[in-house]
Amino acid sequence: MIKLIQSRFFKNASIYTVSDILNKLVPFVLLPVLTRYLTPSDYGVISMFTVFTSILGVFISLEMHGAISVKFFKITKEELRVYIANVLLLVSITTSLMLVTILIFQSYISNVLELPSEWLIIGVFVTCLTLFTTINLILWQSEHKPIPLGIYQITQTIFNLTLSLVLIVGFGMGWEGRLIAASAAAILFGFLSFAFMMRRDFLKLKFNKTYIKDALKFGVPLLPHALSTWVRTGIDRVFLTMIVSTTATGLYTVGFQIASVIMVLTVAFNKAYTPFLFEKLKEITSAQKTILVKYAYLYFLGLSILAILLSLAAPYLVSFFLGKEFIESQEYITWFAFGFAFYGMYSLILNYVLFTQKTIYLSYVTLIIGLLHVALSYLFISYNGTLGAVQANTVISIITFFSVWWLSNKLLPMPWFYFIKLNNYKTKN
């Protein structure tokens, strides 16, 4: 245990956790303000913009940025510079295609999502530049540099938070003020990320057909998986807006945000753990496999305890954070808490699948789960309203975790049941 605490992994995880908590404080800090200056319907509009940019992110990125974190440890920096430049070249093409698509179908999309058409156009640029920031952060993460990564994220958060308060409270701009602030932060820091990558010599514009094929080969098979992830956090809000109202979507979103404190911790942990895990898996022994499994089980236990604690604290959090119109969100927090806990477990297991680069199998599994989620969300919402959407989300999180766990062990066997063998050994002796 002492060695673990003194390790680079533990130190990085601590920094990532602190910086991510500070970065994700925006929704929590803004909740007391937004739930008093905005209506649940306004909150629903903000949520739908997030859903829209999330689905755009799948088709603009084609999940190619994930290949960069893997290639970082497998190719030289000179090769990596060309690789990243070719990924960005592909991103510029996909962004253009999505912009044309949105322009053609903007009327239909605007009606379904209840978003003004101009925000659909803005969403394309926000999504593209957010991807620039994502790649920049991946590079810092792979270099084991959590401090610059944390400072960068916190600075963006402060800018986002300050501008949101000025526009909403100072100028009374409502939901538009929140979207303007979030979009401005994404666009500004996207350009800054590009400048940082240039300054740190991570870009070399040189067309490479092999790298383009490799990036597409890594990312495209992940699209069904990415769509499944979007379905998990997006389709329920679309159905709520279509079947119930934007008010229901707003209440759902607030409960989601309070429970997402668990996701903040899991994302921070994963940022530190992924490079550590990939390095260990390159040349791993049976003993090291057992150690990694023990770490995983401790992590699963911690997430379960955290979900229980958050459920118990929910009434106090709601009374402190939310305005009167949002009190109904309290009944959703327990469901969300356990849903996020299982999603955190899945995120750790997912790394084993990604390391094998056999992502096509992951897509098969998550595509089926995604289709199941669509059906369950529509069914549950039709019969149980907003609570039904939350229940469907949690059920799918549990199914996703166990399905991907099974897949990971097929692709990269680990001694997940070593304790059973150990008990059998003790019994025999």
Side-chain angles (χ1 to χ4, degrees):
M1 182 61 70
I2 295 177
K3 289 183 178 180
L4 175 64
I5 294 175
Q6 293 176 341
S7 68
R8 179 176 63 181
F9 160 68
F10 185 86
K11 293 176 182 177
N12 286 355
S14 300
I15 297 173
Y16 282 130
T17 300
V18 172
S19 63
D20 259 33
I21 288 175
L22 292 175
N23 182 54
K24 301 297 189 214
L25 273 178
V26 170
F28 299 104
V29 172
L30 288 180
L31 274 177
V33 177
L34 294 184
T35 57
R36 288 169 175 81
Y37 280 84
L38 302 178
T39 65
S41 180
D42 290 333
Y43 227 96
V45 175
I46 296 171
S47 178
M48 292 313 297
F49 182 75
T50 302
V51 168
F52 174 65
T53 54
S54 295
I55 189 62
L56 277 180
V58 174
F59 292 106
I60 287 178
S61 73
L62 297 181
E63 297 302 296
M64 295 178 294
H65 56 285
I68 295 174
S69 62
V70 176
K71 289 296 179 183
F72 188 94
F73 298 101
K74 294 186 175 183
I75 60 178
T76 66
K77 182 173 181 179
E78 180 65 22
E79 293 170 326
L80 184 66
R81 294 169 63 209
V82 179
Y83 194 94
I84 295 173
N86 279 268
V87 168
L88 293 183
L89 175 63
L90 287 171
V91 167
S92 67
I93 295 172
T94 55
T95 299
S96 301
L97 291 174
M98 290 309 303
L99 183 59
V100 171
T101 302
I102 296 302
L103 288 172
I104 294 173
F105 297 102
Q106 62 179 318
S107 178
Y108 173 76
I109 298 172
S110 179
N111 289 334
V112 171
L113 301 182
E114 297 191 19
L115 276 175
S117 57
E118 60 269 22
W119 281 104
L120 301 180
I121 306 302
I122 294 171
V124 175
F125 295 101
V126 166
T127 304
C128 176
L129 287 161
T130 297
L131 184 58
F132 283 21
T133 295
T134 299
I135 294 174
N136 184 39
L137 298 183
I138 285 174
L139 293 172
W140 270 324
Q141 177 186 344
S142 299
E143 292 176 301
H144 300 290
K145 294 183 178 179
I147 294 179
L149 185 152
I151 292 174
Y152 194 84
Q153 285 186 304
I154 292 170
T155 303
Q156 181 176 356
T157 295
I158 292 173
F159 177 86
N160 190 344
L161 172 62
T162 304
L163 187 58
S164 293
L165 292 175
V166 169
L167 295 179
I168 295 172
V169 179
F171 291 90
M173 293 184 68
W175 63 264
E176 295 97 332
R178 179 70 187 107
L179 293 190
I180 289 173
S183 300
I187 292 172
L188 173 61
F189 282 82
F191 280 119
L192 286 175
S193 290
F194 183 81
F196 269 107
M197 285 188 283
M198 290 287 291
R199 183 179 178 183
R200 294 161 59 215
D201 200 24
F202 272 113
L203 291 175
K204 182 178 181 180
L205 186 56
K206 180 181 178 182
F207 180 78
N208 188 303
K209 188 176 180 180
T210 301
Y211 287 165
I212 286 180
K213 286 184 177 179
D214 185 85
L216 290 172
K217 184 179 179 181
F218 179 93
V220 172
L222 278 172
L223 288 182
H225 169 255
L227 288 171
S228 175
T229 300
W230 175 82
V231 164
R232 179 184 176 274
T233 58
I235 197 65
D236 40 16
R237 304 188 199 199
V238 174
F239 283 157
L240 278 173
T241 299
M242 293 173 62
I243 299 173
V244 188
S245 65
T246 53
T247 297
T249 305
L251 292 170
Y252 174 95
T253 303
V254 169
F256 182 96
Q257 287 184 332
I258 291 177
S260 67
V261 64
I262 295 177
M263 186 169 67
V264 172
L265 296 175
T266 59
V267 169
F269 177 88
N270 217 39
K271 282 182 178 179
Y273 192 72
T274 300
F276 168 82
L277 179 63
F278 284 176
E279 286 184 323
K280 293 295 182 182
L281 290 177
K282 282 194 299 184
E283 298 178 1
I284 192 166
T285 64
S286 297
Q288 289 172 326
K289 282 187 176 183
T290 302
I291 292 173
L292 289 177
V293 166
K294 289 179 180 179
Y295 287 165
Y297 280 130
L298 284 173
Y299 182 61
F300 296 165
L301 177 62
L303 287 177
S304 301
I305 293 173
L306 188 59
I308 294 172
L309 293 176
L310 182 59
S311 299
L312 295 174
Y316 307 100
L317 292 172
V318 168
S319 62
F320 176 78
F321 277 106
L322 306 184
K324 294 180 180 179
E325 293 182 272
F326 292 84
I327 297 299
E328 184 183 330
S329 297
Q330 176 182 327
E331 64 179 300
Y332 312 140
I333 294 175
T334 297
W335 285 96
F336 273 132
F338 283 95
F340 278 128
F342 277 99
Y343 188 77
M345 298 175 197
Y346 146 81
S347 297
L348 183 143
I349 296 298
L350 176 63
N351 289 318
Y352 291 92
V353 180
L354 295 179
F355 182 80
T356 67
Q357 292 190 264
K358 298 177 181 178
T359 53
I360 186 65
Y361 300 105
L362 177 66
S363 292
Y364 294 151
V365 171
T366 53
L367 176 61
I368 294 171
I369 294 174
L371 293 174
L372 178 62
H373 194 174
V374 172
L376 286 182
S377 291
Y378 188 85
L379 183 65
F380 281 32
I381 291 170
S382 297
Y383 281 93
N384 211 12
T386 309
L387 182 60
V390 184
Q391 292 169 334
N393 185 291
T394 302
V395 169
I396 289 298
S397 293
I398 296 172
I399 294 174
T400 301
F401 165 62
F402 283 107
S403 299
V404 175
W405 195 3
W406 170 83
L407 175 63
S408 73
N409 201 47
K410 287 291 183 180
L411 298 178
L412 184 61
M414 297 288 289
W416 295 110
F417 301 104
Y418 77 93
F419 54 88
I420 295 178
K421 296 178 182 179
L422 182 62
N423 287 337
N424 288 339
Y425 175 79
K426 289 181 177 179
T427 301
K428 292 178 181 179
N429 289 275

